[in-house]
Coordinates of all heavy atoms in Angstrom, one line a residue:
M596 N 0.8 -1.2 0.0 CA 0.0 0.0 0.0 C 0.9 1.2 0.0 O 1.8 1.4 0.8 CB -0.9 0.0 1.3 CG -1.8 1.2 1.4 SD -2.9 1.0 2.7 CE -3.8 -0.5 2.3
P597 N 0.7 2.2 -0.9 CA 1.5 3.4 -1.0 C 1.3 4.3 0.3 O 0.3 4.3 0.9 CB 1.0 4.1 -2.2 CG -0.3 3.5 -2.6 CD -0.4 2.2 -1.9
T598 N 2.4 5.0 0.6 CA 2.4 5.9 1.7 C 1.6 7.2 1.3 O 1.8 7.7 0.2 CB 3.8 6.3 2.1 OG1 4.5 5.1 2.5 CG2 3.8 7.3 3.2
K599 N 0.7 7.7 2.1 CA 0.0 8.9 1.9 C 1.0 10.1 2.3 O 1.6 10.0 3.3 CB -1.2 9.0 2.7 CG -2.2 7.9 2.5 CD -2.6 7.9 1.0 CE -3.3 6.5 0.7 NZ -3.3 6.2 -0.7
R600 N 1.1 11.0 1.4 CA 2.0 12.2 1.6 C 1.2 13.4 2.1 O 0.3 13.9 1.4 CB 2.7 12.6 0.4 CG 3.6 11.5 -0.2 CD 4.4 12.0 -1.4 NE 3.6 12.8 -2.3 CZ 2.8 12.4 -3.3 NH1 2.6 11.1 -3.5 NH2 2.1 13.2 -4.0
L601 N 1.4 13.8 3.4 CA 0.8 15.0 3.9 C 1.9 16.1 3.9 O 3.0 15.8 4.3 CB 0.3 14.7 5.3 CG -0.9 13.9 5.4 CD1 -0.6 12.4 5.6 CD2 -1.8 14.4 6.6
T602 N 1.5 17.2 3.5 CA 2.4 18.4 3.5 C 1.7 19.5 4.3 O 0.5 19.8 4.0 CB 2.7 18.9 2.1 OG1 3.1 17.8 1.3 CG2 3.7 20.0 2.1
L603 N 2.4 20.0 5.3 CA 1.9 21.1 6.1 C 2.7 22.4 5.6 O 3.9 22.5 5.7 CB 2.2 20.9 7.6 CG 1.9 22.1 8.5 CD1 0.4 22.5 8.4 CD2 2.3 21.7 9.9
I604 N 1.9 23.3 5.0 CA 2.5 24.6 4.6 C 2.2 25.6 5.6 O 1.0 25.9 5.9 CB 2.0 25.0 3.2 CG1 2.3 23.9 2.2 CG2 2.5 26.3 2.8 CD1 1.6 24.1 0.8
G605 N 3.3 26.3 6.1 CA 3.1 27.3 7.2 C 4.3 28.1 7.3 O 5.0 28.4 6.3
K606 N 4.6 28.6 8.5 CA 5.8 29.4 8.8 C 6.1 29.3 10.2 O 5.2 29.0 11.1 CB 5.6 30.8 8.3 CG 4.6 31.6 9.2 CD 4.5 33.1 8.7 CE 3.6 33.9 9.6 NZ 3.6 35.3 9.2
P607 N 7.4 29.6 10.6 CA 7.7 29.6 12.0 C 7.0 30.6 12.8 O 6.7 31.7 12.3 CB 9.2 29.9 11.9 CG 9.7 29.5 10.6 CD 8.5 29.8 9.7
G608 N 6.6 30.3 14.0 CA 5.9 31.2 14.9 C 4.4 31.3 14.7 O 3.8 32.1 15.3
C609 N 3.9 30.5 13.8 CA 2.5 30.5 13.5 C 1.8 29.5 14.5 O 2.0 28.3 14.4 CB 2.3 30.1 12.1 SG 0.6 29.7 11.6
H610 N 1.0 30.0 15.4 CA 0.4 29.1 16.4 C -0.6 28.2 15.7 O -0.8 27.1 16.2 CB -0.3 29.9 17.5 CG -1.5 30.6 17.2 ND1 -1.6 31.8 16.5 CD2 -2.8 30.3 17.4 CE1 -2.8 32.2 16.3 NE2 -3.6 31.3 16.8
L611 N -1.3 28.6 14.7 CA -2.3 27.7 14.0 C -1.5 26.6 13.3 O -1.9 25.4 13.2 CB -3.1 28.5 13.0 CG -4.2 29.4 13.5 CD1 -4.9 30.1 12.4 CD2 -5.2 28.7 14.4
C612 N -0.3 26.9 12.8 CA 0.6 25.9 12.2 C 1.0 24.9 13.2 O 1.0 23.7 13.0 CB 1.8 26.5 11.5 SG 1.3 27.7 10.2
D613 N 1.4 25.3 14.4 CA 1.8 24.5 15.5 C 0.6 23.5 15.9 O 0.8 22.3 16.1 CB 2.2 25.3 16.8 CG 3.5 26.1 16.5 OD1 4.2 25.7 15.6 OD2 3.7 27.0 17.3
D614 N -0.6 24.1 16.0 CA -1.8 23.3 16.3 C -2.0 22.3 15.2 O -2.3 21.1 15.5 CB -3.0 24.2 16.4 CG -3.0 25.1 17.7 OD1 -2.1 24.9 18.5 OD2 -3.8 26.0 17.7
A615 N -1.9 22.7 14.0 CA -2.1 21.8 12.8 C -1.1 20.6 12.9 O -1.5 19.4 12.7 CB -2.0 22.5 11.5
R616 N 0.1 20.9 13.1 CA 1.2 19.9 13.2 C 0.8 18.8 14.2 O 0.9 17.6 14.0 CB 2.5 20.5 13.5 CG 3.7 19.5 13.6 CD 5.0 20.2 14.0 NE 5.3 21.4 13.1 CZ 5.1 22.7 13.4 NH1 4.7 23.0 14.7 NH2 5.4 23.6 12.6
E617 N 0.4 19.3 15.4 CA 0.1 18.4 16.5 C -1.1 17.5 16.2 O -1.1 16.3 16.4 CB -0.1 19.1 17.8 CG 1.2 19.8 18.3 CD 2.3 18.8 18.4 OE1 2.2 17.7 19.0 OE2 3.4 19.2 18.0
T618 N -2.1 18.1 15.6 CA -3.3 17.3 15.2 C -2.9 16.3 14.1 O -3.4 15.1 14.2 CB -4.4 18.3 14.6 OG1 -4.7 19.2 15.7 CG2 -5.6 17.5 14.2
I619 N -2.2 16.7 13.1 CA -1.7 15.8 12.1 C -1.0 14.6 12.7 O -1.2 13.4 12.3 CB -0.9 16.5 11.0 CG1 -1.8 17.5 10.2 CG2 -0.3 15.5 10.0 CD1 -1.0 18.5 9.4
K620 N 0.0 14.9 13.5 CA 0.8 13.8 14.1 C -0.1 12.9 14.9 O 0.1 11.7 14.9 CB 1.9 14.4 15.0 CG 3.0 15.0 14.3 CD 4.1 15.6 15.2 CE 5.2 16.2 14.4 NZ 6.3 16.7 15.3
A621 N -1.1 13.4 15.7 CA -2.0 12.5 16.4 C -2.8 11.7 15.5 O -3.0 10.5 15.8 CB -2.9 13.4 17.3
V622 N -3.3 12.2 14.4 CA -4.1 11.4 13.5 C -3.2 10.3 12.9 O -3.7 9.2 12.8 CB -4.7 12.3 12.4 CG1 -5.3 11.5 11.3 CG2 -5.8 13.2 13.0
I623 N -2.0 10.7 12.4 CA -1.2 9.7 11.9 C -0.9 8.5 12.9 O -0.9 7.4 12.5 CB 0.2 10.3 11.4 CG1 -0.1 11.2 10.1 CG2 1.2 9.2 11.0 CD1 1.1 12.0 9.6
A624 N -0.6 8.9 14.1 CA -0.3 7.9 15.1 C -1.4 6.9 15.4 O -1.2 5.8 15.8 CB 0.1 8.6 16.4
A625 N -2.7 7.4 15.2 CA -3.8 6.6 15.4 C -4.4 5.8 14.2 O -5.4 5.1 14.3 CB -5.0 7.5 16.0
L626 N -3.7 5.9 13.1 CA -4.2 5.2 11.9 C -4.0 3.7 12.0 O -3.1 3.3 12.7 CB -3.4 5.7 10.6 CG -3.7 7.1 10.2 CD1 -2.7 7.5 9.1 CD2 -5.1 7.2 9.7
P627 N -4.7 2.9 11.3 CA -4.5 1.5 11.3 C -3.1 1.2 10.8 O -2.6 1.9 10.0 CB -5.6 1.0 10.3 CG -6.6 2.1 10.2 CD -5.9 3.3 10.5
A628 N -2.6 0.1 11.3 CA -1.2 -0.3 11.0 C -1.0 -0.5 9.5 O 0.2 -0.2 9.0 CB -0.9 -1.6 11.7
E629 N -2.0 -0.9 8.8 CA -1.8 -1.1 7.3 C -1.7 0.2 6.5 O -1.4 0.2 5.3 CB -2.8 -2.1 6.7 CG -4.2 -1.5 6.8 CD -5.0 -1.7 8.1 OE1 -4.4 -2.3 9.0 OE2 -6.2 -1.4 8.1
L630 N -2.0 1.3 7.1 CA -2.0 2.6 6.4 C -0.8 3.4 6.8 O -0.5 3.6 8.0 CB -3.3 3.4 6.8 CG -3.4 4.8 6.1 CD1 -3.4 4.6 4.6 CD2 -4.6 5.4 6.6
S631 N 0.0 3.8 5.8 CA 1.2 4.5 6.1 C 1.0 6.0 5.6 O 0.5 6.2 4.5 CB 2.3 3.9 5.3 OG 3.5 4.6 5.4
A632 N 1.4 6.9 6.5 CA 1.3 8.3 6.1 C 2.6 9.0 6.6 O 3.1 8.7 7.7 CB 0.1 9.0 6.8
E633 N 3.0 10.0 5.8 CA 4.3 10.7 6.1 C 4.0 12.2 6.1 O 3.4 12.7 5.1 CB 5.3 10.3 5.1 CG 6.6 11.0 5.2 CD 7.6 10.5 4.1 OE1 7.9 9.3 4.1 OE2 7.9 11.3 3.2
L634 N 4.5 12.9 7.0 CA 4.3 14.4 7.1 C 5.6 15.1 6.7 O 6.7 14.8 7.3 CB 3.9 14.8 8.5 CG 3.8 16.3 8.7 CD1 2.7 17.0 7.8 CD2 3.5 16.6 10.2
T635 N 5.5 16.0 5.8 CA 6.6 17.0 5.5 C 6.1 18.4 5.7 O 4.9 18.6 5.7 CB 7.2 16.8 4.1 OG1 6.1 17.0 3.2 CG2 7.7 15.4 3.9
E636 N 7.0 19.3 5.9 CA 6.6 20.7 6.1 C 7.4 21.6 5.2 O 8.5 21.3 4.8 CB 6.9 21.1 7.6 CG 6.1 20.4 8.6 CD 6.2 20.9 10.0 OE1 6.2 22.2 10.1 OE2 6.3 20.1 10.9
Q637 N 6.7 22.6 4.7 CA 7.2 23.6 3.9 C 6.9 25.0 4.4 O 5.7 25.2 4.9 CB 6.7 23.5 2.4 CG 7.2 22.2 1.8 CD 6.7 22.2 0.3 OE1 5.6 22.6 0.0 NE2 7.6 21.8 -0.6
S638 N 7.8 25.9 4.5 CA 7.6 27.2 5.0 C 7.4 28.2 3.8 O 8.1 28.2 2.8 CB 8.8 27.7 5.8 OG 8.6 29.1 6.1
I639 N 6.4 29.1 4.0 CA 6.1 30.1 2.9 C 7.3 31.1 2.9 O 7.4 31.9 2.0 CB 4.8 30.8 3.1 CG1 4.7 31.5 4.5 CG2 3.6 29.8 3.0 CD1 3.5 32.5 4.6
L640 N 8.1 31.1 4.0 CA 9.2 32.1 4.0 C 10.4 31.6 3.2 O 11.3 32.4 2.8 CB 9.7 32.3 5.5 CG 8.6 32.8 6.4 CD1 9.2 33.0 7.8 CD2 8.0 34.1 5.9
D641 N 10.4 30.3 2.8 CA 11.5 29.7 2.0 C 11.2 29.6 0.6 O 12.0 29.1 -0.2 CB 11.9 28.4 2.6 CG 12.4 28.4 4.0 OD1 12.9 29.5 4.4 OD2 12.2 27.5 4.8
D642 N 10.0 29.9 0.2 CA 9.5 29.6 -1.2 C 8.6 30.7 -1.7 O 7.5 30.8 -1.2 CB 8.8 28.2 -1.2 CG 8.4 27.8 -2.6 OD1 7.8 28.6 -3.4 OD2 8.7 26.6 -3.0
E643 N 9.1 31.5 -2.6 CA 8.3 32.7 -3.1 C 6.9 32.3 -3.7 O 5.9 32.9 -3.5 CB 9.1 33.5 -4.1 CG 10.2 34.2 -3.5 CD 11.0 35.1 -4.5 OE1 10.4 35.5 -5.4 OE2 12.2 35.2 -4.2
A644 N 6.9 31.1 -4.4 CA 5.6 30.7 -5.0 C 4.6 30.3 -3.9 O 3.4 30.6 -4.0 CB 5.9 29.5 -6.0
L645 N 5.1 29.6 -2.9 CA 4.2 29.2 -1.8 C 3.7 30.4 -1.1 O 2.5 30.5 -0.7 CB 4.9 28.3 -0.8 CG 5.1 26.8 -1.2 CD1 5.9 26.1 -0.2 CD2 3.8 26.1 -1.6
H646 N 4.6 31.4 -0.8 CA 4.2 32.6 -0.2 C 3.2 33.4 -1.0 O 2.1 33.8 -0.4 CB 5.5 33.5 0.0 CG 5.1 34.7 0.8 ND1 4.6 35.9 0.3 CD2 5.2 35.0 2.2 CE1 4.5 36.8 1.2 NE2 4.8 36.3 2.4
A647 N 3.4 33.5 -2.2 CA 2.4 34.2 -3.1 C 1.0 33.5 -3.1 O 0.0 34.2 -3.1 CB 2.9 34.3 -4.5
R648 N 1.0 32.2 -3.1 CA -0.2 31.5 -3.2 C -0.9 31.3 -1.8 O -2.2 31.4 -1.8 CB 0.1 30.1 -3.7 CG -1.1 29.2 -4.0 CD -0.8 28.0 -4.7 NE -2.1 27.3 -5.0 CZ -2.1 26.1 -5.5 NH1 -1.0 25.5 -6.0 NH2 -3.3 25.5 -5.7
Y649 N -0.2 31.1 -0.7 CA -0.8 30.7 0.5 C -0.6 31.7 1.7 O -1.1 31.4 2.8 CB -0.3 29.4 1.0 CG -0.7 28.2 0.0 CD1 0.3 27.5 -0.6 CD2 -2.0 27.9 -0.2 CE1 0.0 26.4 -1.4 CE2 -2.3 26.8 -1.1 CZ -1.3 26.1 -1.7 OH -1.6 25.1 -2.5
W650 N 0.0 32.8 1.5 CA 0.4 33.7 2.6 C -0.8 34.0 3.6 O -0.6 34.1 4.8 CB 1.0 35.0 2.2 CG 0.1 35.9 1.5 CD1 -0.2 35.9 0.2 CD2 -0.7 37.0 2.1 NE1 -1.1 36.9 -0.1 CE2 -1.4 37.6 1.1 CE3 -0.8 37.4 3.4 CZ2 -2.3 38.6 1.3 CZ3 -1.7 38.5 3.6 CH2 -2.4 39.1 2.6
D651 N -2.0 34.1 3.1 CA -3.1 34.5 3.9 C -4.0 33.3 4.3 O -5.1 33.5 4.9 CB -4.0 35.6 3.3 CG -4.6 35.1 2.0 OD1 -4.2 34.1 1.4 OD2 -5.6 35.8 1.5
E652 N -3.5 32.1 4.0 CA -4.3 30.9 4.3 C -3.7 29.9 5.2 O -4.2 28.9 5.5 CB -4.7 30.2 2.9 CG -5.5 31.0 2.0 CD -5.8 30.3 0.7 OE1 -5.0 29.4 0.3 OE2 -6.9 30.6 0.1
I653 N -2.4 30.1 5.6 CA -1.7 29.1 6.4 C -2.4 28.9 7.8 O -3.0 29.9 8.3 CB -0.2 29.5 6.6 CG1 0.0 30.8 7.3 CG2 0.5 29.4 5.2 CD1 1.4 31.1 7.7
P654 N -2.3 27.7 8.3 CA -1.6 26.6 7.7 C -2.5 25.9 6.6 O -3.8 26.0 6.7 CB -1.5 25.6 8.8 CG -2.6 25.9 9.8 CD -2.8 27.4 9.6
V655 N -1.8 25.3 5.6 CA -2.5 24.6 4.5 C -2.0 23.2 4.6 O -0.8 22.9 4.8 CB -2.2 25.2 3.2 CG1 -2.8 24.4 2.0 CG2 -2.6 26.7 3.1
V656 N -3.0 22.2 4.5 CA -2.6 20.8 4.6 C -2.9 20.2 3.2 O -4.1 20.3 2.7 CB -3.3 20.1 5.7 CG1 -3.0 18.6 5.7 CG2 -3.0 20.7 7.0
L657 N -1.9 19.6 2.6 CA -2.1 18.9 1.4 C -2.1 17.4 1.6 O -1.3 16.9 2.5 CB -1.0 19.2 0.4 CG -0.7 20.7 0.1 CD1 0.5 20.8 -0.8 CD2 -1.9 21.4 -0.4
I658 N -2.9 16.6 0.9 CA -2.8 15.2 0.9 C -2.5 14.8 -0.5 O -3.2 15.1 -1.4 CB -4.1 14.5 1.4 CG1 -4.5 14.9 2.8 CG2 -4.0 12.9 1.2 CD1 -5.8 14.3 3.3
N659 N -1.3 14.1 -0.7 CA -0.9 13.7 -2.0 C -1.0 14.9 -3.0 O -1.5 14.8 -4.1 CB -1.7 12.5 -2.5 CG -1.4 11.3 -1.7 OD1 -0.3 11.2 -1.1 ND2 -2.3 10.4 -1.7
D660 N -0.5 16.1 -2.5 CA -0.3 17.3 -3.3 C -1.7 18.0 -3.6 O -1.7 18.9 -4.4 CB 0.4 17.0 -4.6 CG 1.8 16.5 -4.3 OD1 2.5 17.0 -3.4 OD2 2.3 15.6 -5.1
R661 N -2.7 17.6 -3.0 CA -4.0 18.2 -3.2 C -4.4 18.9 -1.9 O -4.3 18.3 -0.8 CB -5.1 17.2 -3.6 CG -4.9 16.6 -5.0 CD -6.1 15.8 -5.4 NE -6.6 15.0 -4.3 CZ -6.7 13.7 -4.4 NH1 -6.5 13.0 -5.5 NH2 -7.2 13.0 -3.4
V662 N -5.0 20.1 -2.0 CA -5.4 20.8 -0.7 C -6.5 20.1 0.0 O -7.5 19.7 -0.6 CB -5.8 22.3 -1.1 CG1 -6.4 22.9 0.2 CG2 -4.7 23.1 -1.7
H663 N -6.2 19.8 1.2 CA -7.2 19.1 2.1 C -7.9 20.2 2.9 O -9.2 20.2 3.0 CB -6.6 18.1 3.0 CG -7.5 17.6 4.1 ND1 -8.6 16.8 3.8 CD2 -7.5 17.8 5.4 CE1 -9.2 16.5 4.9 NE2 -8.6 17.1 5.9
T664 N -7.2 21.1 3.5 CA -7.8 22.1 4.4 C -6.9 23.3 4.6 O -5.7 23.2 4.3 CB -8.1 21.5 5.8 OG1 -9.0 22.3 6.5 CG2 -6.9 21.2 6.6
I665 N -7.5 24.4 5.0 CA -6.7 25.6 5.3 C -7.2 26.0 6.7 O -8.2 25.7 7.2 CB -6.9 26.7 4.3 CG1 -8.4 27.1 4.2 CG2 -6.4 26.4 3.0 CD1 -8.7 28.4 3.4
W666 N -6.3 26.7 7.4 CA -6.5 27.3 8.7 C -6.6 26.3 9.9 O -5.7 26.3 10.8 CB -7.6 28.3 8.8 CG -7.4 29.5 7.9 CD1 -6.3 30.3 7.9 CD2 -8.3 30.0 7.0 NE1 -6.5 31.2 6.9 CE2 -7.7 31.1 6.4 CE3 -9.6 29.6 6.6 CZ2 -8.3 31.8 5.4 CZ3 -10.2 30.3 5.6 CH2 -9.6 31.4 5.0
R667 N -7.6 25.5 9.9 CA -7.8 24.5 11.0 C -7.9 23.1 10.5 O -8.6 22.9 9.6 CB -9.0 24.9 11.9 CG -8.9 26.3 12.4 CD -9.3 26.3 13.9 NE -9.3 27.7 14.4 CZ -8.4 28.2 15.2 NH1 -7.5 27.4 15.6 NH2 -8.4 29.4 15.6
V668 N -7.2 22.2 11.2 CA -7.3 20.8 10.9 C -8.3 20.1 11.8 O -8.1 20.1 13.0 CB -5.9 20.1 11.0 CG1 -6.0 18.6 10.6 CG2 -4.9 20.8 10.1
E669 N -9.3 19.5 11.2 CA -10.3 18.7 12.0 C -9.9 17.3 12.0 O -9.8 16.7 10.9 CB -11.7 18.9 11.4 CG -12.2 20.3 11.4 CD -13.5 20.4 10.7 OE1 -14.3 19.4 10.5 OE2 -13.8 21.6 10.3
P670 N -9.6 16.7 13.1 CA -9.0 15.4 13.2 C -9.8 14.3 12.5 O -9.3 13.5 11.7 CB -8.9 15.0 14.7 CG -8.9 16.4 15.4 CD -9.7 17.3 14.5
E671 N -11.1 14.3 12.7 CA -12.0 13.3 12.0 C -12.0 13.4 10.5 O -12.1 12.4 9.8 CB -13.4 13.2 12.6 CG -13.5 12.3 13.8 CD -13.0 10.9 13.6 OE1 -13.4 10.3 12.6 OE2 -12.2 10.5 14.4
R672 N -12.1 14.7 10.1 CA -12.1 14.9 8.6 C -10.8 14.4 8.0 O -10.8 13.8 6.9 CB -12.4 16.4 8.4 CG -12.5 16.7 6.9 CD -12.9 18.1 6.7 NE -12.9 18.4 5.3 CZ -11.9 19.1 4.6 NH1 -10.9 19.6 5.3 NH2 -12.0 19.3 3.4
L673 N -9.7 14.7 8.7 CA -8.4 14.3 8.1 C -8.3 12.8 8.1 O -7.9 12.2 7.1 CB -7.2 14.9 9.0 CG -5.8 14.5 8.6 CD1 -5.5 14.8 7.1 CD2 -4.8 15.1 9.5
R674 N -8.7 12.2 9.2 CA -8.7 10.7 9.3 C -9.5 10.1 8.2 O -9.1 9.1 7.5 CB -9.1 10.2 10.7 CG -9.0 8.7 10.9 CD -9.5 8.3 12.3 NE -9.2 7.0 12.6 CZ -9.7 5.9 12.1 NH1 -10.7 6.0 11.2 NH2 -9.4 4.7 12.5
S675 N -10.7 10.6 8.0 CA -11.6 10.1 7.0 C -11.0 10.2 5.6 O -11.1 9.3 4.8 CB -13.0 10.8 7.0 OG -13.6 10.5 8.2
A676 N -10.4 11.4 5.4 CA -9.8 11.6 4.0 C -8.6 10.6 3.8 O -8.5 10.1 2.7 CB -9.3 13.0 3.9
L677 N -7.8 10.4 4.8 CA -6.7 9.4 4.7 C -7.2 8.0 4.4 O -6.7 7.3 3.6 CB -5.8 9.5 5.9 CG -5.0 10.7 6.0 CD1 -4.3 10.8 7.4 CD2 -4.0 10.9 4.9
L678 N -8.3 7.6 5.1 CA -8.8 6.3 4.9 C -9.5 6.2 3.6 O -9.4 5.1 2.9 CB -9.8 6.0 6.0 CG -9.3 5.8 7.4 CD1 -10.4 5.7 8.5 CD2 -8.3 4.6 7.5
E679 N -10.2 7.2 3.1 CA -10.8 7.2 1.8 C -9.8 7.1 0.7 O -10.1 6.5 -0.3 CB -11.6 8.6 1.7 CG -12.6 8.7 0.6 CD -13.3 10.0 0.7 OE1 -14.3 10.1 1.5 OE2 -12.9 10.9 0.0
E680 N -8.7 7.8 0.9 CA -7.7 7.7 -0.2 C -7.2 6.3 -0.4 O -6.6 6.0 -1.5 CB -6.5 8.6 0.2 CG -6.8 10.1 0.2 CD -6.7 10.7 -1.2 OE1 -5.9 10.2 -2.0 OE2 -7.4 11.6 -1.5
T681 N -7.3 5.4 0.6 CA -6.8 4.1 0.4 C -7.8 3.1 -0.3 O -7.4 2.0 -0.6 CB -6.4 3.5 1.8 OG1 -7.6 3.4 2.6 CG2 -5.4 4.3 2.5
E682 N -9.0 3.5 -0.4 CA -10.0 2.6 -0.9 C -10.1 2.7 -2.4 O -9.6 3.5 -3.0 CB -11.4 2.9 -0.2 CG -11.3 2.6 1.2 CD -12.6 3.1 1.9 OE1 -13.5 3.6 1.3 OE2 -12.6 2.9 3.2

């Protein structure tokens, strides 16, 4: 089964980004053993294109390079999306 790629787009010092990171990590930790998910982070301060696109929407969470959510991560919605992606 392929690994689901989650990307958190944010910036240092962003409290919503910190909250999103913790929520994502908790959801990943609680996934069924047969489901693999990996989190990477990108800062809008390090990438001009990301900054131009997302500066007023961070944090942004992508699943397999598609926008899943902006601003707040709802644990059940994220879990459902990850499970749905596997079916």
